[in-house]
Amino acid sequence: MEIVISLVVCFIAGMGAGLGTGFAGMSAAAVISPMLITFLGMPAYEAVGIALASDVLASAVSAYTYGRNKNLDVKNGMVMMLSVLLFTLVGSFVASRVPNAAMGSFSTVMTLLVGIKFIVRPVMTTKERMADVRPQKRFAQSVISGMAVGFICGFVGAGGGMMMLLILTSILGYELKTAVGTSVFIMTFTALTGAGSHFVIGGMPAFLPLALCIAFTFLWARIAARFANKASAATLNRATGVVLTILGAAIFLVNIFV
């Protein structure tokens, strides 16, 4: 019976995380962690490690799919990724020096707000308009945006995927598919770094939930990414908004039980 419960919980968690990753570059940790903690009674540190490990392959296959469809900005994505990784450490250091605050709901709120934003105000920027931005300006924007995302992630501990998507579309003026593709590209490496550090510090988690979450998240991320790259801008905005709003509401309800 315990194996059946683990299978069901990991399937639902992986499906939600995979859809969020493939459609919107959302971190799997926002979905998988509360599910494993609440329904399987797993320690938070172990649950986050499993979520980050699930994020690696899901983000990688999503980035590959977006890149194959020419919806990925590798050059500026690398710049932003380095800034994110560096300032995540800075944010973590600052957070360790200030009193503990109730920041656990940040990722959930971000997911809900971004989901509603895509429904109410869809991103209709084209690649032609993206190309009008000077390379030097785009480079500077990528550095500054990466610093902001990294610091917030390090300080709060969540919300990286949503922050990146919001900044890429609203501030840097990216077309939605390119924004998601660039976001999952960055998340591949940040999740790999996070998962590695979790496993080195806390040891390897239970094999069954780890394997199930990785497999289900990978499967649904691939399905979502393939659909997203074939969809029109209007359909993708609507689908992204609906998926994020539902996931945000579901995570909020799950957190009530934690």
Side-chain angles (χ1 to χ4, degrees), residues 112-124 237-238 241-242 245:
L112 270 170
L113 292 180
V114 174
I116 294 171
K117 185 262 182 193
F118 279 112
I119 295 174
V120 177
R121 293 190 62 186
V123 177
M124 301 305 290
N237 272 276
R238 194 176 300 113
V242 170
T245 302

Side-chain angles (χ1 to χ4, degrees), residues 11 18 34 39 46 52 80 84 105 116 123-124 148-149 169 181 194-195 197 212 220 222 230 239 243 256:
F11 176 79
F39 298 110
E46 185 177 348
L52 288 169
M80 191 172 181
V84 169
S105 61
I116 294 171
V123 177
M124 301 305 290
V149 171
T169 54
S197 63
L212 290 174
W220 286 99
R222 178 164 174 75
K230 293 178 181 178
V243 167
I256 293 176

Side-chain angles (χ1 to χ4, degrees), residues 28-74:
V31 179
I32 292 177
S33 299
M35 291 285 290
L36 297 183
I37 294 168
T38 303
F39 298 110
L40 297 183
M42 189 175 291
Y45 197 85
E46 185 177 348
V48 172
I50 289 176
L52 288 169
S54 303
D55 219 354
V56 176
L57 286 181
S59 294
V61 72
S62 297
Y64 171 78
T65 304
Y66 279 91
R68 192 175 61 181
N69 288 275
K70 296 181 171 54
N71 292 316
L72 171 60
D73 185 357
V74 175

